[in-house]
Amino acid sequence: GENVEQHPSTLSVQEGDSAVIKCTYSDSASNYFPWYKQELGKRPQLIIDIRSNVGEKKDQRIAVTLNKTAKHFSLHITETQPEDSAVYFCAARVNAGKSTFGDGTTLTVKP
Amino acid sequence: DARVTQTPRHKVTEMGQEVTMRCQPILGHNTVFWYRQTMMQGLELLAYFRNRAPLDDSGMPKDRFSAEMPDATLATLKIQPSEPRDSAVYFCASGLGTGNYEQYFGPGTRLTVT
């Protein structure tokens, strides 16, 4: 089955700096890669996603890049703000089927 | 603003008791997922359904867990008998299944088994 590895497990940045979280996956059939943000005690919420026919996608301060050959994808957050502090999960999926999640990255943005 | 709903939000029970968790997917969504989240194991898929039919329940301990969709508006996850190691947050998520791949999570049921 699919295996997703996520790094780093914790990340601390100063407000205004950039944050990068990386994930690798093992199943070449995976073609959909969402990223979720989960605040303490809340549900995971989709913040951005990318399909395998696209190399990069941006939404304001958030971007995701995908390298299908190397089987890795990354989340980039620019101009970080304290409200970006949360746990971020990557996932890999084949179409609309089951997701395999990474173990999560706890991002702390220090004011 | 359509959302996935889950009940109960919190459940404390004693070991050996039956636990039933319910999920109402977003109207029109035909794919429903059950996940378990713990500090040690992260987010694990337990089971998922499409058009009410179970597609994969390989992540679920079959001897004590069961998942069903009695109708398109209700999914249930049962644990019988419950054990302390079942303590976790159980999330339900729903999606459209085709074309749009997004999954929308419910608020979760926090289960504590003593």
Side-chain angles (χ1 to χ4, degrees), chain A residues 26-45:
Chain A
S26 61
D27 188 352
S28 56
S30 291
N31 61 356
Y32 176 66
F33 307 92
W35 285 90
Y36 294 88
K37 175 183 179 182
Q38 187 177 26
E39 296 173 344
L40 192 62
K42 302 283 183 66
R43 73 189 81 192
Q45 292 200 293

Side-chain angles (χ1 to χ4, degrees), chain B residues 15-109:
Chain B
M15 183 173 63
Q17 297 298 305
E18 178 178 299
V19 175
T20 299
M21 291 170 270
R22 294 177 175 81
C23 166
Q24 183 171 25
I26 293 172
L27 192 63
H29 283 191
N30 68 350
T31 310
V32 174
F33 303 81
W34 282 106
Y35 293 97
R36 176 170 62 184
Q37 186 173 38
T38 62
M39 289 296 292
M40 296 301 294
Q41 299 295 329
L43 265 167
E44 307 171 89
L45 178 74
L46 297 175
Y48 85 103
F49 295 78
R50 180 161 297 143
N51 296 321
R52 297 175 55 201
L55 288 191
D56 189 332
D57 61 1
S58 57
M60 208 163 63
K62 304 284 193 309
D63 55 338
R64 300 183 300 107
F65 284 60
S66 62
E68 295 179 344
M69 279 202 75
D71 62 61
T73 64
L74 176 65
T76 62
L77 180 67
K78 288 187 183 179
I79 308 174
Q80 168 63 16
S82 57
E83 298 181 0
R85 60 181 166 149
D86 301 328
S87 297
V89 180
Y90 291 81
F91 287 104
C92 172
S94 72
L96 282 169
T98 52
N100 185 331
Y101 296 162
E102 290 184 33
Q103 292 182 9
Y104 299 84
F105 281 79
T109 294

Side-chain angles (χ1 to χ4, degrees), chain A:
Chain A
E2 176 66 278
N3 183 48
V4 176
E5 294 191 359
Q6 183 172 345
H7 299 281
S9 56
T10 60
L11 180 59
S12 181
V13 300
Q14 285 295 135
E15 182 177 0
D17 287 350
S18 295
V20 180
I21 303 170
K22 299 182 180 182
C23 289
T24 60
Y25 62 99
S26 61
D27 188 352
S28 56
S30 291
N31 61 356
Y32 176 66
F33 307 92
W35 285 90
Y36 294 88
K37 175 183 179 182
Q38 187 177 26
E39 296 173 344
L40 192 62
K42 302 283 183 66
R43 73 189 81 192
Q45 292 200 293
L46 180 73
I47 55 171
I48 196 167
D49 56 10
I50 192 167
R51 299 197 187 194
S52 59
N53 59 349
V54 175
E56 183 174 359
K57 184 176 177 181
K58 276 182 105 168
D59 183 3
Q60 299 183 344
R61 297 186 296 109
I62 297 172
V64 57
T65 58
L66 171 66
N67 183 327
K68 279 175 52 180
T69 305
K71 295 199 190 75
H72 66 71
F73 56 111
S74 300
L75 177 71
H76 304 253
I77 306 174
T78 58
E79 300 171 29
T80 53
Q81 301 166 3
E83 51 265 38
D84 295 328
S85 296
V87 180
Y88 291 81
F89 292 94
C90 65
R93 189 186 309 163
V94 177
N95 296 331
K98 62 180 183 180
S99 293
T100 300
F101 284 83
D103 288 339
T105 296
T106 301
L107 173 65
T108 303
V109 180
K110 293 186 261 189

